């Protein structure tokens, strides 16, 4: 079996007995894992502090000084709590010697089984597809922002400076077609490190500009209840926008869909669940402090006028070169993040195709492409064709609906309840054999129910946002 077909859990399928306490192998016969609290925290922070951070000032503006920070804190608490429940599901049965679940779907299969596995798979992969579309839109917005900021710098802030997003989406798509040919998850670690550095770069610049703006004007904008109802926003719009803000915040916190995969990199002892809980606490704390600062200083700087995307909404014009650096950092980060989120989807499709058509040469045959000075690159035709088509589809959909905030809200709402709350809670109940109608069972169900209501509200708000965008929208034209 080659590494290329991505089913590499079986590569070291040596009977575990001989390797119980061996120096090179873990209890499942795979090579010893070496991950620690720090590496797991780094992975989580890379996955979480993504483009979602840029819409937090806008989300805070919809909710106001009381509800905005409160909702951010509530989401961080729920994310931490349910992630701790999910960490306990990495092993079935005993936390030290139970059977490992390598992916989120494996954990659902081991604990809940049946139809729920299929539902989980659909939600997870649709969400990953949606993230690919969201990232394509976000990257083109940042590339346009660089172009526009240079134009404003030359011609003054009153200049029209209209730029079309289509060529930038095509450029991003071409880059992703190239990177998508990297065979599997193991080989994109370097991309992940670059992405993490970039996400801190642009988030810090956004935060710094917000702080500078507040310091310069000497006054804090905004109100206790958020954006005021009046000429610009009707009462109905205010309600929808508040719901949409919930979706944006949910999107900013969602990383559960890759939590088990991260936990599978940890060394034991101590038990992986223990290490993962520490890493989750650390990374959710860091992320929440960062989000509070970005959301609150952005809102303090702009009040009701907070842009949907902090670095491209042109609340700031100068220093223009600093904005350009931040937006280039966003694009580099998104090129990497797109791969981190799409690789599990690629792997799933290729593995399924391999199982269904094991004798089909188009799917199974690798062609060696010689690279001077390096070992030959293994090119698989099926991988080349299907991944290229996937990137083209996400790019075309992005061109058709280029509204960042609404897409982010829909994704956050769609993925938050099932993946962050429902499955972890249900699996934990099965794992710990919590009796029905006991106090613990009831409180877990209340938590799950409350999050479902929030998800539905957020989805409704985001769909309402898309509907209002569509009224003034022309396909393949960029909203200014």
């Amino acid at each position: 079996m080659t590494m290329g077909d991505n089913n590499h859990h079986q590569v070291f399928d040596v009977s575990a007995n001989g390797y119980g306490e061996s120096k090179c192998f873990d209890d499942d016969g795979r090579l010893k894992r070496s991950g620690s609290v720090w590496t797991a925290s780094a992975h989580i922070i890379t996955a979480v502090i993504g483009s979602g951070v840029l819409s937090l000032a806008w989300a805070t503006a919809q909710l106001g000084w009381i509800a905005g920070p409160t909702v951010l804190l509530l989401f961080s608490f729920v994310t931490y709590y349910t992630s701790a429940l999910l960490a306990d599901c990495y092993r079935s049965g005993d936390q030290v010697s139970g059977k490992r679940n390598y992916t989120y779907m494996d954990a659902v299969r081991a604990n809940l089984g049946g139809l729920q596995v299929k539902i989980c798979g659909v939600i997870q992969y649709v969400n990953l597809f949606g993230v690919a579309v969201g990232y394509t839109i976000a990257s083109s917005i940042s590339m346009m922002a660089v172009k526009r900021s240079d134009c404003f710098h030359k011609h003054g802030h009153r200049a029209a400076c209209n730029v079309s997003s289509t060529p930038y989406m095509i450029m991003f798509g071409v880059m992703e077609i190239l990177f998508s040919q990297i065979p599997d998850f193991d080989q994109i670690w370097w991309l992940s490190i670059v992405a993490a550095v970039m996400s801190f770069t642009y988030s810090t610049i956004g935060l710094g500009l917000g702080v500078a703006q507040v310091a310069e004007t000497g006054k804090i904008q905004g109100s206790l209840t958020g954006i005021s109802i009046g000429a610009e926003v009707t009462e109905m719009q205010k309600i929808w926008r508040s719901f949409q803000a919930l979706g944006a915040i949910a999107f900013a916190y969602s990383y559960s869909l890759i939590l088990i995969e991260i936990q599978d990199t940890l060394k034991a002892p101590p038990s992986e669940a223990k290490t993962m809980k520490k890493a989750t606490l650390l990374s959710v704390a860091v992320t929440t402090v960062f989000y509070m600062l970005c959301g609150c200083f952005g809102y303090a700087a702009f009040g009701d006028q907070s842009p949907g995307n902090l670095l491209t909404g042109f609340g700031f014009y100068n220093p223009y070169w600093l904005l350009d650096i931040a937006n280039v950092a966003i694009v580099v980060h998104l090129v990497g993040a797109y791969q981190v989120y799409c690789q599990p989807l690629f792997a799933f499709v290729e593995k399924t195709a391999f199982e269904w058509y094991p004798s089909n040469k188009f799917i199974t045959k690798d062609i060696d492409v010689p690279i001077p000075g390096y070992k030959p690159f293994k090119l698989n035709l099926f991988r080349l064709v299907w991944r290229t088509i996937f990137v083209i589809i996400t790019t075309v959909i992005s061109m058709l609906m280029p509204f960042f905030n609404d897409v982010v809200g829909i994704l956050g709402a769609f993925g938050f309840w099932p993946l962050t709350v429902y499955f972890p809670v249900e699996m934990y109940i099965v794992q710990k054999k919590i009796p029905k109608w006991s106090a613990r069972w009831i409180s877990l169900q209340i938590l799950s129910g409350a999050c479902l209501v929030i998800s539905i509200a957020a989805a409704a708000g985001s769909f309402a946002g898309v509907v209002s965008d569509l009224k003034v929208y022309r396909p393949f034209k960029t909203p200014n």
Side-chain angles (χ1 to χ4, degrees):
M1 176 169 289
T2 65
M3 287 295 271
D5 69 19
N6 246 81
N7 192 6
H8 47 264
H9 302 318
Q10 278 78 35
V11 174
F12 303 107
D13 203 4
V14 195
S15 74
N17 315 345
Y19 294 112
E21 289 302 314
S22 123
K23 287 199 176 76
C24 316
F25 294 91
D26 270 332
D27 56 5
D28 59 345
R30 285 174 64 189
L31 280 181
K32 215 117 183 99
R33 293 161 175 81
S34 58
S36 63
V37 170
W38 298 108
T39 62
S41 303
H43 282 313
I44 295 172
I45 291 170
T46 306
V48 180
I49 300 185
S51 53
V53 69
L54 300 172
S55 59
L56 291 179
W58 179 89
T60 311
Q62 310 313 310
L63 298 166
W65 277 121
I66 299 173
T70 310
V71 169
L72 268 169
L73 277 176
L74 277 173
F75 269 101
S76 69
F77 171 72
V78 170
T79 304
Y80 166 67
Y81 182 69
T82 57
S83 299
L85 300 185
L86 190 55
D88 279 337
C89 300
Y90 171 64
R91 285 182 183 268
S92 301
D94 185 64
Q95 279 309 320
V96 179
S97 59
K99 182 183 168 299
R100 296 169 186 266
N101 298 309
Y102 299 112
T103 65
Y104 197 127
M105 271 179 82
D106 287 346
V108 175
R109 187 175 290 114
N111 289 292
L112 302 173
L115 182 64
Q116 303 217 36
V117 183
K118 291 192 172 66
I119 294 170
C120 165
V122 168
I123 293 170
Q124 193 178 358
Y125 294 125
V126 167
N127 216 1
L128 293 175
F129 179 82
V131 168
V133 173
Y135 282 179
T136 307
I137 295 171
S139 69
S140 73
I141 291 174
S142 287
M143 291 191 244
M144 283 158 55
V146 171
K147 187 96 172 117
R148 290 178 71 188
S149 104
D150 295 350
C151 165
F152 286 135
H153 182 67
K154 281 200 188 93
H155 306 293
H157 299 174
R158 297 267 170 263
C161 290
N162 287 339
V163 185
S164 164
S165 63
T166 307
Y168 296 107
M169 288 189 185
I170 292 170
M171 272 162 57
F172 184 78
V174 170
M175 279 193 289
E176 290 307 342
I177 287 174
L178 291 174
F179 280 118
S180 292
Q181 293 313 310
I182 298 172
D184 55 30
F185 211 63
D186 299 350
Q187 294 166 27
I188 57 168
W189 57 269
W190 55 275
L191 211 52
S192 201
I193 291 171
V194 172
V197 172
M198 292 299 158
S199 65
F200 272 118
T201 306
Y202 66 72
S203 306
T204 310
I205 291 175
L207 174 60
L209 290 169
V211 173
Q213 178 97 351
V214 173
E216 191 184 318
T217 56
K219 60 176 187 284
I220 289 177
Q221 304 264 7
S223 66
L224 293 181
T225 54
I227 202 160
S228 34
I229 296 165
E232 294 207 3
V233 180
T234 64
E235 204 167 322
M236 203 60 215
Q237 277 175 313
K238 161 111 176 134
I239 294 170
W240 287 128
R241 281 173 160 212
S242 303
F243 287 165
Q244 197 181 332
L246 294 177
I249 294 172
F251 178 75
Y253 271 112
S254 58
Y255 73 96
S256 301
L257 49 160
I258 50 179
L259 182 137
I260 299 265
E261 281 84 343
I262 294 171
Q263 194 166 343
D264 192 37
T265 63
L266 298 176
K267 62 172 180 247
S271 75
E272 297 87 357
K274 211 177 222 169
T275 312
M276 196 63 191
K277 285 173 187 172
K278 275 190 194 150
T280 299
L281 182 61
L282 181 70
S283 42
V284 170
V286 169
T287 306
T288 304
V289 169
F290 217 76
Y291 280 4
M292 287 294 232
L293 290 170
C294 283
C296 295
F297 271 107
Y299 184 37
F302 299 117
D304 285 0
Q305 300 306 312
S306 295
N309 182 326
L310 196 57
L311 291 171
T312 60
F314 290 97
F316 308 113
Y317 290 98
N318 286 314
Y320 82 101
W321 53 269
L322 190 60
L323 273 177
D324 289 355
I325 291 171
N327 280 306
V328 169
I330 292 175
V331 175
V332 175
H333 171 235
L334 291 173
V335 168
Y338 184 102
Q339 289 302 322
V340 170
Y341 275 99
C342 289
Q343 286 286 351
L345 178 58
F346 292 159
F348 175 72
V349 170
E350 280 148 34
K351 188 175 149 216
T352 309
F354 193 81
E355 282 167 5
W356 285 359
Y357 306 106
S359 54
N360 186 322
K361 286 279 181 285
F362 176 65
I363 292 171
T364 55
K365 191 173 184 325
D366 283 347
I367 300 164
D368 282 352
V369 179
I371 302 174
Y374 288 98
K375 60 181 186 203
F377 178 77
K378 288 197 176 312
L379 181 72
N380 176 298
L381 284 179
F382 175 67
R383 187 171 69 223
L384 176 71
V385 172
W386 123 253
R387 291 188 183 189
T388 305
I389 290 171
F390 175 87
V391 176
I392 291 170
I393 291 171
T394 57
T395 310
V396 170
I397 291 176
S398 308
M399 289 178 198
L400 281 169
M401 26 178 292
F403 357 96
F404 175 67
N405 267 54
D406 303 323
V407 172
V408 160
I410 289 173
L411 284 176
F414 182 66
F416 177 72
W417 178 70
L419 297 173
T420 306
V421 185
Y422 173 77
F423 284 120
V425 163
E426 292 301 314
M427 291 195 287
Y428 183 77
I429 287 173
V430 171
Q431 183 100 338
K432 296 284 181 246
K433 302 187 173 56
I434 295 168
K436 245 187 179 169
W437 307 113
S438 62
R440 189 82 204 274
W441 186 89
I442 290 171
S443 52
L444 285 170
Q445 296 300 343
I446 289 171
L447 171 73
S448 185
C451 292
L452 172 61
V453 171
I454 291 171
S455 272
I456 291 170
S462 303
F463 279 116
V466 170
V467 169
S468 70
D469 284 339
L470 288 172
K471 287 178 185 159
V472 293
Y473 152 79
R474 301 282 168 277
F476 299 107
K477 289 277 186 294
T478 309
N480 287 325

